[in-house]
Amino acid sequence: MNVTATAGNRSRGGEELVLLPTFSTAAKVRVAITCLLFLSSACCNGAVLWSAARAPRRRPPRVRVLMANLAAADLLVTVVVMPLDAAWNVTVQWYGGDAACRALMFLKLAAMYASAFVTVVIALDRHAAIVTPLAVGRAKRRNKAMLCAAWALSAVLALPQAFVFHTVQRSRPRRFVQCATVGSFGARWQETLYNMFTFLCLFLLPLLVMVLCYGRILAAISARAGDARAPASSRELQLRCSSNNIPRARTRALKMSIVIVLTFIGCWTPYYLLGLWYWFSPEMLTRERVPPALSHILFLFGLLNTCLDPLVYGLFTARFRRELRRACRCGRRRKTPQSSSIPLRAAAGSIRVSSRVTRRRSAGES
């Protein structure tokens, strides 16, 4: 979704009045909050990647590998989308040139695609683990293929950004350069179709897949619970319960993935709904029927998703919390001065020497 600040036109007395964007108070607040989100997301997602790097290399848990990929995608959003958005709001116009305009718009959409698609892979993995648990032996190879497909598809679907976006220049009322899609489409419906395709691949299809996966998971769990409550002999009932009950670790991973999906839906849905409103009724924004601060708030609420994912992972993963506590303790120990141990050892040595001297003196005196 690409809603950028572009110059607007108004007519007054037959003359064209060009309104150029400015660094408003709402934009200043947006930049400040974006910087806070950048620091929080970089630290939290960096901690998840650090924890994943410390995992055993022989057989790392599948959930940890998936969360490491999600943290990498969120970190890509953090280092590309957030600094770009903050700098663009400060400068108002584009100073990076045409090549940087195309490259950064491509990276921006690719990062957002990757975050959404990796969340879909997590949903598919939980679906396979709960609905078809007998296929757990192929889970590692399947997840690797799905993750590779998610990253590759993110790059392919974001590639049109490099051809659609370019620098646009105005000379009146002053020289103004912007990175926009002006002139890339022959008609308004073509631009709307492109935006709708982006919205479909970036939000609607991932949302549909995730809802279907977790719907089938809940249906499978309820069906197994009904089978366990059916009348049977004690031995048969015990066998059914042992085969139908979900392990505690798998249940915890399922709850974690459900919360991650809910945060994705809750954070990005309002922003995409505003985008749909703009695509089909652009006069709602140009005529200032929608306050500019609303778009700032909704976009920041969407970026909050990159900070919530690692927090959810830490909430449901005790090992991750223990590793962070150990790292903090090691950091505190390194900060303490090491020179204090030398006087202690010297003092201990002097005490031993003095005790020997006193013993010899006492022996000679006797």
Side-chain angles (χ1 to χ4, degrees):
M1 179 173 168
N2 306 295
V3 180
T4 56
T6 55
N9 299 330
R10 287 185 180 179
S11 59
R12 179 183 296 178
E15 296 181 357
E16 184 182 22
L17 180 62
V18 180
L19 298 178
L20 298 178
T22 59
F23 189 36
S24 60
T25 304
K28 295 177 182 178
V29 175
R30 173 173 177 167
V31 170
I33 298 178
T34 302
C35 293
L36 294 178
L37 291 177
F38 173 81
L39 294 176
S40 176
S41 179
C43 294
C44 294
N45 288 289
V48 174
L49 290 178
W50 171 82
S51 176
R54 291 174 55 89
R57 296 184 178 273
R58 290 177 294 179
R59 287 192 60 185
R62 298 202 320 271
V63 176
R64 178 170 294 198
V65 174
L66 293 173
M67 289 305 302
N69 279 268
L70 182 60
D74 288 340
L75 201 59
L76 186 61
V77 174
T78 303
V79 300
V80 174
V81 178
M82 293 185 185
L84 174 63
D85 181 77
W88 204 348
N89 277 275
V90 171
T91 60
V92 180
Q93 60 176 317
W94 186 263
Y95 290 102
D98 187 72
C101 168
R102 298 174 185 270
L104 289 175
M105 292 301 105
F106 162 75
L107 289 176
K108 176 182 178 180
L109 191 59
M112 297 176 71
Y113 270 131
S115 180
F117 290 165
V118 174
T119 307
V120 172
V121 173
I122 294 176
L124 292 173
D125 174 76
R126 292 300 90 199
H127 175 270
I130 302 299
V131 178
T132 58
L134 297 179
V136 69
R138 301 189 301 269
K140 183 178 180 180
R141 184 171 55 187
R142 183 186 61 242
N143 286 354
K144 185 177 181 180
M146 287 193 300
L147 288 173
C148 292
W151 286 99
L153 194 60
S154 301
V156 171
L157 292 178
L159 191 59
Q161 292 283 99
F163 302 96
V164 169
F165 274 86
H166 59 279
T167 54
V168 181
Q169 182 175 344
R170 282 183 175 271
S171 58
R172 294 181 181 181
R174 58 183 177 85
R175 186 178 182 274
F176 187 85
V177 181
Q178 191 61 282
C179 178
T181 61
V182 179
S184 298
F185 301 96
R188 173 69 184 177
W189 67 268
Q190 296 178 358
E191 184 177 5
T192 303
L193 183 62
Y194 175 75
N195 289 329
M196 286 301 300
F197 176 77
T198 304
F199 168 73
L200 183 69
C201 297
L202 189 59
F203 182 75
L204 202 57
L205 282 180
L207 177 62
L208 180 62
V209 173
M210 289 184 285
V211 169
L212 289 177
C213 287
Y214 289 107
R216 290 198 62 186
I217 289 173
L218 294 178
I221 293 175
S222 61
R224 292 177 187 179
D227 293 339
R229 289 193 299 266
S233 61
S234 59
R235 182 177 180 183
E236 186 180 356
L237 180 61
Q238 185 178 1
L239 290 175
R240 285 184 180 181
C241 293
S242 63
S243 61
N244 289 328
N245 284 344
I246 302 174
R248 185 177 300 177
R250 191 173 298 176
T251 305
R252 191 186 307 114
L254 175 61
K255 292 179 181 179
M256 181 187 68
S257 58
I258 290 177
V259 175
I260 288 175
V261 170
L262 291 178
T263 56
F264 172 80
I265 296 173
C267 289
W268 283 112
T269 300
Y271 180 66
Y272 287 119
L273 291 179
L274 180 64
L276 288 175
W277 193 3
Y278 170 75
W279 295 333
F280 290 101
S281 300
E283 64 275 2
M284 294 296 179
L285 294 179
T286 56
R287 294 178 183 177
E288 296 181 355
R289 294 185 180 181
V290 176
L294 180 61
S295 62
H296 294 308
I297 294 173
L298 296 184
F299 184 72
L300 291 173
F301 196 62
L303 292 180
L304 182 63
N305 184 44
T306 60
C307 302
L308 295 179
D309 287 341
L311 294 180
V312 172
Y313 177 66
L315 180 65
F316 285 91
T317 309
R319 183 175 181 179
F320 175 66
R321 296 193 299 268
R322 289 196 301 267
E323 290 178 352
L324 287 183
R325 285 195 292 265
R326 290 175 184 174
C328 295
R329 291 172 183 173
C330 293
R332 292 175 182 175
R333 291 175 182 176
R334 291 176 182 176
K335 289 181 181 180
T336 56
Q338 302 293 335
S339 58
S340 60
S341 61
I342 299 176
L344 290 176
R345 292 177 181 176
S350 62
I351 293 173
R352 293 174 182 174
V353 172
S354 61
S355 63
R356 292 176 182 175
V357 172
T358 53
R359 288 178 182 174
R360 290 176 181 177
R361 286 180 179 177
S362 60
E365 289 176 356
S366 61

